[in-house]
Amino acid sequence: MKFFFPDSQDLVDPSFDYITEKRSDTRIRQRDDLYAHEIFKTPPYDGMLVSKAIVEGAGGTSGRYTLGQQRRFTVQGVREFLRLPHHLEIMGDCGAFTYVNEPEPPVTIEEVARFYDECGFDSGASIDHVILDYNPAWDSSLPGMDPVPEAVRKRQEITIQLARDFLKHCRKENFRFEPLGVAQGWSPKSYATSVSALQKMGYKYIALGGMVPLKSPEIMQVLNAVSPRRKPETRLHLFGVTRLDHVNRFREHGVISFDSTSPLRQAFKEDKDNYYGKERTYVAIRVPQVDVNVKLKNKIMSGEVRQEEAFRLERECMEGLRQFDSRRFPRKDLIDLLIQYQSLFGSAKNYAEAYEETLRDRPWKDCECAVCQELGINVIIFRGAERNRRRGFHNVYVTYERLKKIRRQKIKT
């Protein structure tokens, strides 16, 4: 089972100083900043997924890459641009969620295939149109009744036809990358129908799209329906899914790979589960910057909060955390200080109990990853992109280590 990490221009600045919170004046982001696979001795994934929409934009949205970066990406190729080791695989897709509200995908087969080929991808996904509706009950409708909305069926038809044309074009041009057919559905049976159609065209590597909002039991329902139709040589990929508890069951149904940004995003997008420990997840300690936090800035401008008081508490929280890490500041006093500062910026949630667990267990002390070894307690502080993104890299590392453990256990059995 392989784990692909989606690229979203997530890099960290090695010159960042955690005390002064300043960077090198000579820093150039693309040249000096580091990807996750450059932080650790061994890359924390088997490959990377790069969406055309992230690089170039789609459907009226701009990509994450500047025009200069787009040019270098095309000239250098994806592997050199991302500075990827040669053993890592590179998968490409269209980034269908960026144009989900469009009536049809705003990209052409020729554009997508040329992007994959010229940039040196190992595999490239056909153009798909995401189906957001999922209703297993539609599979058991009465004869003569069709509860599936026409717009939903249309999206599957578009996806299948584009996959057919994409494969024909790839064969005609004899591209170097492996075509990856994308299946979209609204129920277990509709996914199975899509997979059957893709296999009939000649696809041997098929990705199941639209899986992100589905719960694990729903994903298993889909795989249970697909399995009887799947040929032994057909390999499956799951787009946007990280369910390590189900990896072995996924594998039994022919799944050989998946991708997800969840470990990274949870570091700074969730109220909890920000830091992956060995046995459980932890809440990160929130110490927002006075001059960046919008709520706090508004309160200061309205006169509700004194700016001097806000800066004082911010400094004391940061210093208290540093002293706590060297066991020179009592845990209870630190939590009281953090909650006092929290009351200024108006967080709706009281984190006192969660902070008690995080600071009591000190999970960063037990982690051997390069991020925790370098940052110490800074990895658990919810504050700014440099700390938050590094915590995300730690989560990706932990996810991959768990996956490798599952793989080793499978080999032994």
Side-chain angles (χ1 to χ4, degrees), residues 28-71:
I28 298 177
R29 186 173 186 270
Q30 182 58 39
R31 182 194 67 191
D32 300 323
D33 286 13
L34 302 176
Y35 293 96
H37 51 268
E38 298 178 298
I39 292 288
F40 304 98
K41 287 184 179 180
T42 302
Y45 30 78
D46 298 295
M48 291 191 72
L49 170 70
V50 181
S51 293
K52 186 177 184 296
I54 290 292
V55 178
E56 301 176 344
T61 64
S62 59
R64 296 287 183 90
Y65 286 49
T66 65
L67 287 176
Q69 289 174 327
Q70 291 178 33
R71 294 191 191 99

Side-chain angles (χ1 to χ4, degrees), residues 310-322:
F311 276 120
R312 180 187 68 79
L313 282 171
E314 180 188 15
R315 286 193 302 270
E316 290 184 6
C317 284
M318 294 300 293
E319 181 59 28
L321 284 161
R322 284 191 285 270

Side-chain angles (χ1 to χ4, degrees), residues 142-188:
L142 295 174
M145 298 181 63
D146 185 3
V148 183
E150 178 61 27
V152 172
R153 283 196 181 278
K154 182 67 174 177
R155 283 177 174 254
Q156 187 185 62
E157 291 170 4
I158 289 173
T159 299
I160 291 175
Q161 185 58 50
L162 286 171
R164 181 177 291 109
D165 295 341
F166 179 74
L167 188 58
K168 286 180 180 178
H169 182 67
C170 291
R171 286 173 171 172
K172 178 183 176 182
E173 299 296 330
N174 196 28
F175 291 130
R176 293 165 293 179
F177 64 88
E178 179 182 9
L180 175 68
V182 181
Q184 288 286 346
W186 56 82
S187 66

